[in-house]
Amino acid sequence: MSEKISRRDFLKLASAGAATTAVLTGCGPASRYVEREPYTKMPEYTYNGLSTYYATTCRECAAGCGLIVRTMQGRAIKVEGNASNPVNLGKTCARGQATLQGLYNPDRVGSPTKQGRGSSVSPMDWDSAIQIVADALKNNTPSEIAFLMGTGSDHLFDLVSDLANAIGAPAPARFGALSMFESRATLSKAAENLLGQSAMPFFDLANADIVLSFGANFLETWLSPVAYTRGFAKMRRGNPKQRGYFIHFEARMSQTASKADEWIPLLPGTEGLVALAIGRLVAEAKGGATPEAFASVDPLEVASTSGVKLETLEHIAQLIVEAQTPLAIPGGAALGQSNGLSTAEAVLALNALTDNFGKPGGVFVSPLSPNEDAYHRPASALEITEFISKMKSGSIKALFIHGVNPIFELPKSFGFEEALGSVPQVISFATFPDETAIASDYIFPDHHGLESWGYQRVATGSMQPVLSGLQPVVNGVYYTTTDPDTGADTSELLYNARGTADVLIAATQLAGGKFAEALPFKDEVEFIQSKLVNLISEADGSFSAPEINTFTAYFQQHGGWWKKTAELATPSASSVLSKSVNAETAQFAGEGEFIFLPFVSPTLGEAGANKPWLQELPDPTTTVMWNTWVEINPETAHELGITNDDVVEITSEAGVVKAAVYLYPAIHPGVIAMPFGQGHTAYGRYATSVGVSEKFMDLVPTSQYVNGGKAFPRGANPADVLGAHFNEAGDLAFAGMKVEVKKTGEKQVLSRLESRIGVYGEGMGEEH
Amino acid sequence: MIKKFFEWVISPMGRVAVLIGVLALFSLATYGISQSQASPPQPLEFRHDVHVTKGVQCLYCHPGALRGPSPGLPTITKCWGCHQQLAITKTSPRLEKMVALIDPATNQPTMGFEWVPVVQVPDFVHFTHRPHVAAGVNCEDCHGDLSKMEIYENPQVFNMGFCLNCHKEKAGDDQEKLTKLTDCGTCHY
Amino acid sequence: MSNQMVDLNRVGAKGAIAEAAEGKWGMVIDRDLCTGCQACVAACAMENNLSFVGEEDAGYGRTQHWIRIERLWEGEYPGVKVEGGFQPMLCQQCGSAPCEPVCPVFATPHSEAEQLNLQVYNRCIGTRYCANNCPYQVRSFNWRDYHIEPFHANLVTGQLVFPLHNQFNPDVTVRRRGVMEKCTFCIQRIHSAQDKAKSEGREVEDGEFTTACAQACPASAITFGRLDHEESLVSQLGHVSRGVKHLEELNTLPRVTYLEKG
């Protein structure tokens, strides 16, 4: 150093150095400061890092598939099927897998809420909530109290039924979008007409060698999809000597139809005629007299009406004649027509012709669930309109809603939302802030299915009577807060929900008198035990126990109780063939060039829109994610000057809906189809749209989707264009609307998994 | 601008500045590394040496090591099991914190301690204790002689080199074992 | 298969792995049984902490589907068919993987012990060369920190709470942005089963555990197990005459056999 440095300059530098040191200590333990809290009392079966498994039942639909849920330190991590449960035998569907995103959904209702029909929203405590329920029960005439429930949660339905019965209120009505699209009333009415008993038929797919499905989407969401998929797999490849053959009749190639060896498109509403025509051809080929059921149908006429060639009908008839165990299944949109009941009867008659009732590979009556006296089906759409009329007339003063979202699930034309205006008090027990919940006076949130006790009767899907059991696999959803001053952590409950059964029991106790007598139980579990008690003496059970507490313990451990041997009732076929089946084409409501075919989204189901991984699952046939589309035949679209991603307006006599077009090669030229499951205006951030841009932004939405106002819808709801038209059994003729299609000039790019180039040559200079 | 800066650096003032800068960085790095290996403060200064020399087995408090990925931390119930019978519990000031957490009515703890983990590996390393314990690796081999540690401190850095050295040594001549123990996917997945 | 073709499974294509050319862990996927239901996709997502990317990024092809169901059309209305049925496509764990040699930092080595193609997240620097090279296009890249976008959080007493994170599987690393990922044949389950068997002093039995996708599939279309054990189900199914391996001609030595409709 040739020059001297002043002391002052040296000190300046030195202090700069020290300051740098202080700033850069990010490597110390302070930055990795993590705290671990062991259990205060370690449960005996728990080791850090090892999982605990609980058996329960899935509540994403009413099928009753058994689950084994892997939990670790109080968190549910993975859902697997319960290998012992006869319905699913260890398998799960996509909705069951994603149920964890419902349990841990950021948009669950966080506490009992004074909702004020959306106008004034404030949280409440449970004591006040229970008081309100008690008052609603006490202060209204029993005949003016109504319960509207979903098709799941059987134990709650039983509790409410018992309560209603005891206090003189009308029995609860059960309903759900799935049961609407499955036409459950039609199936059981057809069974009643032809087989003599109102029951849910069971189609033994596994042992059939040739299957004819008339619209039944049994690989998607129909009735018990996991059970029927297992049956399908067995039919296909279960017999080493013969591969099962599958023919599917449907105007569009659904996911189920795509697995068929022959997909036969036809004019919607002609499925019954086609079944009868085939039956007649089979009878003629076999020789002998043609049974009454098929006597009046003319195959040539049917060919021209339906669009199915006569050669095809003959070919199918020949296949049936040569088959050992042919099976015909009615379902889906075929029953959702004005002639749906006769269609179901025609298909059942076809089964009778091939004499497969009660035989392996044939038609059975689903066994009644343990403890069930008779088959109880959900309400039909017609019965729901009667319920809504009752609401409109003002004769319902207090309405309790659980497990169903009628504003979204029912066609707008039914007027449920308007009818709510005539009901003075509406109390919702919804777990999520769906459209009906936010339009209620109060939301007293039920636990999520994985946090619930209960049982689920298996209506169909198993050869044995099954009562599937539920138990909480977690104690709730928690989060940790750190006190900024003391540094101490506290664990707080994020969602303060409570079992609706517990709420009702507490409310009845509070109300006293006949209410308390109606439900003389300490809590939900005691109620459930009261329903299980007579199973102890039942023979042939999957387990036995000397008394109720041991029985309940096994019930929880196994995930339910079922009979070991199959109990499929054999319907009597004798009278079926001698009855004439009313064969006619369907009638369509409204004017329009196209027949509108809504179908339940195979990935979303009725209530999956708020689970982001379900939204990100590509639709099996179109691979579209996160949105709604309308399927149009490419030729038809070309004539109309419509191409992919064009937004079109679809108008029926009942309403309007808009959606982006997907040129779908496998659909009847006169039919357009739209999936059901999207179009929510509430129900959380994943079920709705953020706003202008669809990208996840740096927003921190808190209450805007919970208890808040309506959000932009994600996609569209096809129920908006459905009118109040029913088939003979009272089910909604959801595939019986005629619609007009109009270009809007807007474009909405659909997110697809498939490459556009590969499908339609888009971007390669080709045009369709 | 750059020329001026360069001239300043060459000047005596600048050279001293650079020297101080380098020294600062060096000391800071050393300090940082040492700090990252130092044991963090705990809610209660638990004396491993006292307990180990009295004959308490590692697996008594940390039984998970035998069965699964994590040895676990004992609940206060475990501590209280012995300490409620020991005279030192009433006299030691260090144990006051624990005694304060016991509810005299039930003789059970009301809360747990929020222990800060000392041995931490990144979450992209999946370490599991069970196969190590089962293979005869002693706790001291990795965690040091706890009979001599007042407050637990890592005897060496738990980095991949430390793991791999032992893995290679234990595998010895067994090719299959060596393949498995040096396979990336054995720990990183 | 013509007799004249050289069976690269026997000739030492890559020297050291020639002996293990048939692989250790493998799958058989029956396209005749697959119904396209996406249960496997959902199961994989839940098991492996996959992030969902939202509508816009999904449209850009940035979804994190470790397994995807492909649907190819053939024919014209009314004779349209889904060509060959639905096709689940996932990492084939190639014996001679084209993604392995191109990684500049060796983040995707071949596991000699398990005969799998590994993805080591902490080594990956995100060049995406491996995804480029994969002929099956089964690798996905974490373009953003999808998991911790504030959109997924609730603001509770001033802090961001992510309830969805409760569902994460602790046995699988949660990936940040900038790393590649792909199907691992549920290696965490492989290790878990091997550890359990070892602790009980026995070998892992066929069918004792399986991958998340195979476990969920209602049609039992996916079978997983040891290809090198003759009696395993996957071995036997793999020799069925309708079995094919995709893009075999590229000599990737895939470990997944597809049973075509037939």
Side-chain angles (χ1 to χ4, degrees), chain C residues 242-260:
Chain C
R242 35 181 198 115
V244 299
K245 287 191 151 92
H246 285 315
L247 299 179
E248 248 189 319
E249 63 275 13
L250 298 178
N251 302 325
T252 50
L253 302 181
R255 306 298 190 213
V256 181
T257 303
Y258 287 85
L259 302 184
E260 299 286 303

Side-chain angles (χ1 to χ4, degrees), chain A residues 214-216 249 269 271 330-337 339-341 343-344 734-735:
Chain A
F214 292 85
F249 298 89
E271 291 89 348
L335 306 187
Q337 299 283 359
N339 66 351
L341 182 58
T343 302
F734 62 84

Side-chain angles (χ1 to χ4, degrees), chain A residues 177-369:
Chain A
L178 279 179
S179 66
M180 183 170 83
F181 284 103
E182 289 161 0
S183 307
R184 288 197 184 215
T186 312
L187 283 168
S188 58
K189 188 86 178 121
E192 191 182 337
N193 287 351
L194 291 191
L195 311 177
Q197 56 182 129
S198 169
M200 174 65 72
F202 175 69
F203 301 96
D204 185 19
L205 198 47
N207 296 308
D209 59 356
I210 173 169
V211 174
L212 270 69
S213 170
F214 292 85
N217 312 105
F218 55 81
L219 298 178
E220 295 158 58
T221 56
W222 190 70
L223 294 182
S224 193
V226 178
Y228 273 112
T229 304
R230 286 193 306 103
F232 165 79
K234 186 134 182 289
M235 180 225 22
R236 261 283 190 259
R237 292 281 170 189
N239 182 351
K241 297 200 195 78
Q242 182 179 30
R243 175 179 176 274
Y245 201 76
F246 172 33
I247 300 171
H248 188 96
F249 298 89
E250 194 173 353
R252 71 177 280 268
M253 182 188 274
S254 57
Q255 177 200 334
T256 309
S258 71
K259 291 305 295 176
D261 297 286
E262 294 182 45
W263 164 61
I264 305 193
L266 74 182
L267 188 71
T270 59
E271 291 89 348
L273 285 173
V274 168
L276 290 176
I278 292 172
R280 173 146 185 174
L281 292 167
V282 168
E284 285 170 359
K286 280 192 176 164
T290 302
E292 182 62 30
F294 308 101
S296 49
V297 73
D298 176 6
L300 197 56
E301 207 185 299
V302 170
S304 85
T305 321
S306 65
V308 182
K309 296 206 197 80
L310 184 62
E311 301 88 76
T312 311
L313 295 174
E314 286 167 346
H315 149 76
I316 293 171
Q318 190 54 35
L319 286 174
I320 293 177
V321 167
E322 290 163 3
Q324 304 286 329
T325 49
L327 175 64
I329 309 178
L335 306 187
Q337 299 283 359
S338 63
N339 66 351
L341 182 58
S342 47
T343 302
E345 290 175 351
V347 176
L348 285 179
L350 186 56
N351 282 306
L353 182 66
T354 57
D355 191 27
N356 67 14
F357 283 6
K359 305 211 175 85
V363 181
F364 294 83
V365 171
S366 301
L368 287 180
S369 192

Side-chain angles (χ1 to χ4, degrees), chain A residues 293-473:
Chain A
F294 308 101
S296 49
V297 73
D298 176 6
L300 197 56
E301 207 185 299
V302 170
S304 85
T305 321
S306 65
V308 182
K309 296 206 197 80
L310 184 62
E311 301 88 76
T312 311
L313 295 174
E314 286 167 346
H315 149 76
I316 293 171
Q318 190 54 35
L319 286 174
I320 293 177
V321 167
E322 290 163 3
Q324 304 286 329
T325 49
L327 175 64
I329 309 178
L335 306 187
Q337 299 283 359
S338 63
N339 66 351
L341 182 58
S342 47
T343 302
E345 290 175 351
V347 176
L348 285 179
L350 186 56
N351 282 306
L353 182 66
T354 57
D355 191 27
N356 67 14
F357 283 6
K359 305 211 175 85
V363 181
F364 294 83
V365 171
S366 301
L368 287 180
S369 192
N371 273 353
E372 206 175 10
D373 51 343
Y375 174 63
H376 298 287
R377 60 167 176 76
S380 68
L382 185 63
E383 286 158 354
I384 288 297
T385 54
E386 286 158 16
F387 187 92
I388 295 174
S389 299
K390 221 177 150 204
M391 282 165 67
K392 280 206 265 239
S393 73
S395 52
I396 295 180
K397 296 281 191 288
L399 175 61
F400 295 93
I401 305 179
H402 177 279
V404 63
N405 180 8
I407 293 181
F408 174 77
E409 295 179 39
L410 289 172
K412 269 217 180 60
S413 61
F414 279 28
F416 185 89
E417 193 168 4
E418 292 77 39
L420 280 180
S422 312
V423 180
Q425 191 175 52
V426 180
I427 296 175
S428 163
F429 295 105
T431 307
F432 302 102
D434 58 41
E435 289 89 339
T436 309
I438 66 171
S440 307
D441 292 302
Y442 297 96
I443 310 178
F444 299 146
D446 190 9
H447 282 311
H448 182 266
L450 290 180
E451 298 166 325
S452 299
W453 296 99
Y455 53 76
Q456 185 72 19
R457 287 188 280 271
V458 172
T460 188
S462 161
M463 306 271 229
Q464 303 121 281
V466 177
L467 186 66
S468 210
L470 283 94
Q471 65 172 325
V473 307

Side-chain angles (χ1 to χ4, degrees), chain A residues 255 602-603 618-624, chain C residues 35-38 69-71 86:
Chain A
Q255 177 200 334
T603 47
D619 173 74
T621 47
T622 61
T623 76
V624 175
Chain C
T35 65
C37 71
Q38 318 278 333
I69 309 295
E70 295 178 343
R71 175 240 65 225
F86 290 107

Side-chain angles (χ1 to χ4, degrees), chain C residues 65-219:
Chain C
H65 290 118
W66 285 12
I67 183 170
R68 63 169 185 268
I69 309 295
E70 295 178 343
R71 175 240 65 225
L72 306 163
W73 293 118
E74 72 177 339
E76 286 205 358
Y77 183 85
V80 184
K81 276 194 181 316
V82 170
E83 188 200 324
F86 290 107
Q87 170 141 293
M89 179 51 66
L90 68 169
C91 174
Q92 310 280 294
Q93 308 289 347
C94 304
S96 175
C99 59
E100 284 166 18
V102 297
C103 177
V105 292
F106 306 108
T108 175
H110 202 81
S111 166
E112 297 300 325
E114 302 300 335
Q115 290 297 309
L116 293 174
N117 173 259
L118 299 173
Q119 181 66 37
V120 184
Y121 306 116
N122 43 309
R123 275 200 85 86
C124 178
I125 58 168
T127 58
R128 313 195 303 273
Y129 199 157
C130 54
N132 211 36
N133 239 24
C134 175
Y136 306 98
Q137 291 293 292
V138 288
R139 283 172 159 274
S140 61
F141 185 68
N142 284 281
W143 290 94
R144 298 180 217 281
D145 270 326
Y146 292 111
H147 281 305
I148 54 178
E149 300 216 0
F151 183 79
H152 306 310
N154 287 339
L155 199 60
V156 182
T157 57
Q159 60 179 89
L160 287 184
V161 172
F162 291 88
L164 284 171
H165 290 187
N166 280 302
Q167 181 272 323
F168 284 158
N169 184 350
D171 296 334
V172 178
T173 311
V174 176
R175 284 81 60 195
R176 292 288 304 273
R177 65 170 172 229
V179 296
M180 293 297 308
E181 56 183 55
K182 64 171 189 73
C183 164
T184 59
F185 268 13
C186 282
I187 191 174
Q188 68 277 5
R189 292 183 175 210
I190 295 176
H191 283 318
S192 187
Q194 285 175 335
D195 195 49
K196 180 156 188 280
K198 195 146 178 244
S199 74
E200 292 168 15
R202 57 171 177 85
E203 295 289 319
V204 177
E205 287 162 26
D206 185 41
E208 182 183 335
F209 79 100
T210 189
T211 54
C213 51
Q215 189 165 6
C217 177

Side-chain angles (χ1 to χ4, degrees), chain A residues 737-766:
Chain A
M737 305 294 298
K738 282 233 157 111
V739 293
E740 288 287 357
V741 172
K742 205 175 65 175
K743 265 178 93 161
T744 59
E746 292 162 33
K747 268 224 181 262
Q748 179 187 41
V749 179
L750 292 170
S751 293
R752 315 186 196 182
L753 189 70
E754 65 191 354
S755 149
R756 287 153 191 276
I757 293 176
V759 178
Y760 295 112
E762 271 179 53
M764 303 273 276
E766 269 180 57

